[in-house]
Amino acid sequence: MLAPIHRVYVDGYYMDETEVTNEEFEKFVKATGYVTVAEQKPTKEEFPTANEEDLVTGSVVFTPTPSAVNLNNFLQWWRYEPGADWRHPEGPQSTIIGKEKYPVVHVVYEDAEAYAKWAGKRLPTEAEWEFVARGGKTGNLYAWGNDLKPKGKFQANIYQGHFPIKDGDTGEDGFKGIAPTKQYAPNPYGLYDIAGNVWEWVHDWYSVDYYKSLAESGKVTRNPQGPDAYYDPSDPSEIKRVHRGGSFLCTDQYCTRYMVGTRGKGEIRSVCKSRWF
């Protein structure tokens, strides 16, 4: 949670209305020849204790468990899949053909920055992301209001059912897994999928106490850029940036990051998904 509550001011800016799609990312790759981190073979310098045979290109893929598990170890439902990347989201036998309007996945922070620079854009700050996510409605729990299911209808692609077991997602919101963009109504500022579907990188370093320091200043902070350095006492050796918005795997059983005032964190070379402006 972004606690304690604090006030910020942001100047005007533009934001893409959807998450970056496979179609858009492919244009970037074709124009530049860019190779994502997931497509680069890991090195001994990065992973000095790894066996040489384990240093293969790939990425992590959600893998449902065969039965109920204790939710204290996320490694139970994530696996490293050789050959998984943005073109092959489930592994080398998978494809994005026919999924041009789906959000691009297996994108790390530096991949997101590279795309943004090519597109003449940049990643939003966390304050900018939250401002547009709220759509001018201060204090609401969700981008669409305070009711998770207004009139009994889901407003975002999140997880329903028993997490994370095989076939546990009931798809009550219309989708099991990632959805194409623009499948739900936009928020009041015209942004789609600001909650759920895929996580989104923002500019800020992750620091557990940054918002406490802003609140203690007693001032309205103008255009905050995030902390000067990362700080996660639970994992101090990892370099992390902030994730926002949650994903199709978020559920009240484990992760409610589809709520506007919540945040995630990710090691900068871990895979995530992004929206840019």
Side-chain angles (χ1 to χ4, degrees), residues 1-2 15 19 124-126 128-134 141-144 148 155-159 184 187 191-202 241-251 255-266 272-275:
M1 296 290 287
L2 301 190
M15 177 80 86
E19 298 142 335
T125 65
E126 188 171 11
E128 290 169 334
W129 190 98
E130 180 157 344
F131 182 85
V132 295
R134 291 193 174 279
L141 292 176
Y142 310 106
W144 53 86
L148 179 62
Q155 302 299 303
N157 181 24
I158 58 178
Y159 195 100
Y184 303 89
N187 80 344
L191 273 68
Y192 294 86
D193 298 310
I194 200 70
N197 210 24
V198 298
W199 283 100
E200 301 176 11
W201 287 110
V202 297
R241 300 269 185 174
V242 175
H243 296 163
R244 294 303 303 264
S247 77
F248 71 97
L249 294 174
C250 281
T251 164
C255 160
T256 53
R257 298 298 188 258
Y258 46 79
M259 299 174 68
V260 179
T262 59
R263 68 206 298 235
K265 55 189 177 181
C272 191
K273 305 86 186 176
S274 294
R275 171 192 319 253

Side-chain angles (χ1 to χ4, degrees), residues 144-180:
W144 53 86
N146 287 309
D147 184 358
L148 179 62
K149 294 171 59 180
K151 298 182 180 179
K153 186 176 181 180
F154 280 101
Q155 302 299 303
N157 181 24
I158 58 178
Y159 195 100
Q160 302 89 46
H162 198 122
F163 181 85
I165 66 172
K166 183 176 175 58
D167 300 321
D169 188 354
T170 65
E172 186 183 344
D173 57 22
F175 295 92
K176 297 179 181 180
I178 298 174

Side-chain angles (χ1 to χ4, degrees), residues 181-260:
T181 58
K182 296 189 175 182
Q183 300 303 300
Y184 303 89
N187 80 344
Y189 283 168
L191 273 68
Y192 294 86
D193 298 310
I194 200 70
N197 210 24
V198 298
W199 283 100
E200 301 176 11
W201 287 110
V202 297
H203 163 79
D204 299 31
W205 293 113
Y206 175 82
S207 177
V208 70
D209 58 1
Y210 178 59
Y211 297 103
K212 180 174 181 290
S213 66
L214 290 186
E216 288 176 346
S217 76
K219 301 176 181 178
V220 177
T221 307
R222 188 174 183 123
N223 298 317
Q225 299 295 304
D228 294 331
Y230 56 92
Y231 173 55
D232 182 3
S234 66
D235 199 5
S237 65
E238 298 292 339
I239 304 172
K240 296 180 180 179
R241 300 269 185 174
V242 175
H243 296 163
R244 294 303 303 264
S247 77
F248 71 97
L249 294 174
C250 281
T251 164
D252 59 8
Q253 299 167 47
Y254 181 71
C255 160
T256 53
R257 298 298 188 258
Y258 46 79
M259 299 174 68
V260 179

Side-chain angles (χ1 to χ4, degrees), residues 62-65 67-78 159 161-166 249-256:
F62 174 64
T63 307
T65 59
S67 58
V69 295
N70 190 308
L71 301 181
N72 63 357
N73 181 6
F74 64 87
L75 295 176
Q76 296 172 102
W77 55 88
W78 289 102
Y159 195 100
H162 198 122
F163 181 85
I165 66 172
K166 183 176 175 58
L249 294 174
C250 281
T251 164
D252 59 8
Q253 299 167 47
Y254 181 71
C255 160
T256 53

Side-chain angles (χ1 to χ4, degrees), residues 22-197:
N22 288 320
E23 180 178 60
E24 293 168 324
F25 198 77
E26 185 172 37
K27 291 177 182 177
F28 157 61
V29 170
K30 286 183 175 179
T32 63
Y34 185 81
V35 178
T36 63
V37 168
E39 297 171 284
Q40 301 172 29
K41 181 181 176 180
T43 66
K44 270 289 189 180
E45 288 72 24
E46 291 179 284
F47 304 99
T49 63
N51 296 322
E52 185 62 36
E53 60 269 24
D54 294 328
L55 296 175
V56 295
T57 60
S59 186
V60 294
V61 174
F62 174 64
T63 307
T65 59
S67 58
V69 295
N70 190 308
L71 301 181
N72 63 357
N73 181 6
F74 64 87
L75 295 176
Q76 296 172 102
W77 55 88
W78 289 102
R79 76 176 192 278
Y80 189 81
E81 177 65 24
D85 56 46
W86 72 274
R87 291 187 178 92
H88 309 97
E90 302 298 326
Q93 304 307 314
S94 62
T95 180
I96 58 171
I97 295 173
K99 295 185 176 182
E100 290 78 11
K101 299 300 182 182
Y102 280 65
V104 66
V105 296
H106 298 294
V107 170
V108 306
Y109 185 84
E110 65 187 73
D111 299 333
E113 280 200 314
Y115 172 90
K117 183 177 181 180
W118 171 81
K121 305 178 183 183
R122 63 175 174 85
L123 292 172
T125 65
E126 188 171 11
E128 290 169 334
W129 190 98
E130 180 157 344
F131 182 85
V132 295
R134 291 193 174 279
K137 305 292 184 179
T138 303
N140 283 348
L141 292 176
Y142 310 106
W144 53 86
N146 287 309
D147 184 358
L148 179 62
K149 294 171 59 180
K151 298 182 180 179
K153 186 176 181 180
F154 280 101
Q155 302 299 303
N157 181 24
I158 58 178
Y159 195 100
Q160 302 89 46
H162 198 122
F163 181 85
I165 66 172
K166 183 176 175 58
D167 300 321
D169 188 354
T170 65
E172 186 183 344
D173 57 22
F175 295 92
K176 297 179 181 180
I178 298 174
T181 58
K182 296 189 175 182
Q183 300 303 300
Y184 303 89
N187 80 344
Y189 283 168
L191 273 68
Y192 294 86
D193 298 310
I194 200 70
N197 210 24

